[in-house]
C-alpha cells in the first residue's frame, strides 16, 4: 500500500483547480467547480498522509517485533 498515487492525483486535481480559478476571471460560475475540485484534492492528499503514516507505523512495529 503506497500513498504516492494519492499525492499524484491530488497534485493533478490542484492544477486543474488552479486552471479553473484562472478561468473564473472570464466565467464566474467556474469558481464553484474549482472549489469542489480543490476539496476533492485536499481529501485525497489527507488520505495519502494517512496511508503513509499507517505504513510507516506498521513497518516500525514490525522492526521492533523482530528485534525483541
Amino acid at each position: 500500500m503506497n500513498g504516492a498515487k494519492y499525492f499524484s492525483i491530488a497534485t493533478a486535481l490542484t492544477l486543474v483547480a488552479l486552471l479553473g480559478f484562472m478561468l473564473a476571471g472570464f466565467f464566474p460560475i467556474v469558481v464553484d467547480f474549482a472549489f469542489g475540485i480543490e476539496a476533492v484534492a485536499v481529501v485525497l492528499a489527507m488520505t495519502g498522509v494517512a496511508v503513509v503514516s499507517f505504513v510507516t507505523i506498521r513497518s516500525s512495529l514490525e522492526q521492533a517485533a523482530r528485534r525483541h
Side-chain angles (χ1 to χ4, degrees):
M1 199 155 50
N2 191 356
K5 63 182 172 184
Y6 293 110
F7 291 122
S8 297
I9 294 170
T11 301
L13 287 175
T14 300
L15 292 176
V16 170
L18 180 63
L19 179 64
F21 288 127
M22 288 190 287
L23 288 174
F26 302 106
F27 309 105
I29 192 70
V30 176
V31 172
D32 297 332
F33 295 109
F35 276 122
I37 292 170
E38 188 62 29
V40 171
V42 168
V43 168
L44 282 174
M46 291 294 107
T47 303
V49 168
V51 168
V52 169
S53 299
F54 177 74
V55 169
T56 303
I57 291 170
R58 183 176 151 198
S59 66
S60 297
L61 289 174
E62 287 175 355
Q63 287 178 358
R66 276 189 237 131
R67 288 184 190 166
H68 299 290

